[in-house]
Amino acid sequence: MLLALLIIEFVCLCCVCIVALHLYRKRTHLSRTKAGLEEMLSSAPDGFFCSFEQSKEVCSRRLAILLGFNQKDIRFDDILKKLTGSSAEELKNAYNKLCTQSQAFSILVSTQGANMRLLVSGVNASLPDGTDASNILWFHNVTNVMEENEQYARKLKALQERDYLLMEALDGFPFALWLRNNDSSLAFCNTAYVNLTESDSKSTVLKKNIELNYDAPNKMGAKLLSIAAKSSGEIKSETGIFKYKNKSHQMEVNEIPLGMEKDERNRFTLGFIRDIQNEATLKTSLDKYLKAQYQVLGALSSGIVIFDGNGY
C-alpha cells in the first residue's frame, strides 16, 4: 500500500514537472517572440508611439532619434514640445479623439528648428474580443516628398500661367486661328474663328465641331486640308470666298502639321486664315503708284540716275 502511494506521488510529481517545463518553454518562446516583435517595431523606418490603458507609453527608438530625444522615458507631452504651436495643437486634438472616440486620423505636422514635415497617422488597436488594447501613432518623415511636391506645384503654376498667356495671345490674333487633334476635330479656336463662323461661343464651336463655311473651286475644306497636311507632312492651303457680315472676303485657309517628328501617333495641325483680298488690294495700289512714278520720271527732260544703298 505504501509502495503504491509512493508510485502515485512520483507520477504526479513527474506530471507537475512536465507541465512546469512546458509552461517555462512556452513562456520563454513568448518572451522571445515579444522581444523580436518589439525589436522589429523599433527598427521600422517609421517611428511610432503607443499608449496603453494602464497609462503606459512607449516611444520607438526610431522616433526618439527622429525628434532628437536623449532620454528613455518619453511622454506624449514631450513629443508635442518638439512641434510647432499649431501642429502641436492639431495633433493633441486628434489624439484626444483617437483615445476617447477611437477616431483614426492622418495629419501633417511640422517640427521646431529642424523644419521637418511629418505625416502622423493615428489608429486604435483592439483585442479579438473588441476591447481597446492601445492607441498607436505612426510618424513618417515626408520632408523631401513635400519639398518635391512644392517644387512640382510651383512648376505647375508656372506652366499654367504660361499656358494662360499663350491662350490669351492666340485668342488676341485678329485672324481666325484653330488647332486640330489626332482625328482632325477641333481642339481649340480663338475669338476670330467664333466670329467668322457666327457662333455664340468657343465651347459651342468645339462641342459641335463647327467648320468654316466658304466657297472655293474644287473645295476640300479645312478638315480635309488637315488630313492631307498630316499625311504629307507639309503645309496645305486653299483659297476661298468667305461671306462675313454681308460682305465677301477672299481668304487663304492654311493647315500646318505639328509634332510629326516627336510622336507620329499624336499628329496635330495648326490652322489659320490669311486675308489675301487686302493683300491684293495693297499690291494693286502699289503697282499703280510705281507705274505712275515711272511715267513721271520718264516724262522729265533731264536725265535722272537712281543709286541703291551700295552706290550702284
Side-chain angles (χ1 to χ4, degrees), residues 86-104:
S86 58
S87 294
E89 187 67 22
E90 185 178 6
L91 178 58
K92 182 179 180 180
N93 294 335
Y95 182 70
N96 288 336
K97 289 183 179 180
L98 175 66
C99 295
T100 57
Q101 305 174 21
S102 299
Q103 182 175 331

Side-chain angles (χ1 to χ4, degrees), residues 115-126:
N115 295 324
M116 286 190 301
R117 302 294 298 276
L118 302 176
L119 176 64
V120 184
S121 300
V123 293
N124 183 264
S126 302

Side-chain angles (χ1 to χ4, degrees), residues 8 34 40 47 60 126-127 142 166 217 230 246 252 281 293:
I8 294 173
K34 178 182 177 183
M40 290 173 61
S60 70
S126 302
L127 296 175
V142 294
L166 178 60
K230 286 188 289 186
N246 298 323
E252 183 184 72
T281 303
Q293 186 183 50

Side-chain angles (χ1 to χ4, degrees), residues 70-270:
N70 295 320
Q71 71 270 26
K72 293 183 178 180
D73 296 329
I74 300 171
R75 311 289 293 181
F76 180 70
D77 291 338
D78 297 327
I79 295 177
L80 294 178
K81 293 177 182 178
K82 293 288 184 177
L83 307 180
T84 60
S86 58
S87 294
E89 187 67 22
E90 185 178 6
L91 178 58
K92 182 179 180 180
N93 294 335
Y95 182 70
N96 288 336
K97 289 183 179 180
L98 175 66
C99 295
T100 57
Q101 305 174 21
S102 299
Q103 182 175 331
F105 66 89
S106 183
I107 60 175
L108 279 172
V109 298
S110 301
T111 62
Q112 297 183 15
N115 295 324
M116 286 190 301
R117 302 294 298 276
L118 302 176
L119 176 64
V120 184
S121 300
V123 293
N124 183 264
S126 302
L127 296 175
D129 59 0
T131 58
D132 294 338
S134 65
N135 300 305
I136 306 176
L137 303 182
W138 288 98
F139 292 75
H140 181 61
N141 189 356
V142 294
T143 305
N144 294 334
V145 177
M146 295 301 299
E147 290 178 354
E148 292 178 358
N149 288 344
E150 290 172 357
Q151 291 179 1
Y152 290 141
R154 288 193 294 267
K155 290 180 180 179
L156 178 61
K157 184 179 179 181
L159 289 174
Q160 289 174 339
E161 292 176 353
R162 188 181 303 175
D163 181 67
Y164 172 78
L165 292 175
L166 178 60
M167 292 297 103
E168 287 294 307
L170 295 177
D171 192 57
F173 277 101
F175 53 85
L177 189 72
W178 62 93
L179 182 69
R180 297 182 185 274
N181 56 25
N182 193 43
D183 62 355
S184 295
S185 60
L186 293 170
F188 167 81
C189 68
N190 64 353
T191 301
Y193 186 101
V194 176
N195 296 334
L196 192 60
T197 56
E198 297 182 345
S199 303
D200 54 1
S201 65
K202 298 178 188 176
S203 59
T204 301
V205 171
L206 299 180
K207 184 178 181 179
K208 296 183 178 181
N209 204 45
I210 300 177
E211 295 288 344
L212 297 171
N213 185 21
Y214 59 93
D215 296 324
N218 302 321
K219 176 183 174 182
M220 291 182 64
K223 187 169 184 177
L224 290 179
L225 283 177
S226 170
I227 296 174
K230 286 188 289 186
S231 298
S232 63
E234 299 176 351
I235 182 173
K236 295 295 180 180
S237 304
E238 183 177 56
T239 302
I241 303 297
F242 287 81
K243 292 183 179 180
Y244 177 62
K245 293 183 178 180
N246 298 323
K247 292 183 180 181
S248 297
H249 298 265
Q250 186 179 15
M251 296 185 179
E252 183 184 72
V253 182
N254 300 273
E255 290 281 353
I256 305 174
L258 303 175
M260 299 291 290
E261 297 179 356
K262 294 183 178 180
D263 190 355
E264 294 185 356
R265 295 171 300 177
N266 296 316
R267 296 180 176 180
F268 294 80
T269 56
L270 177 66

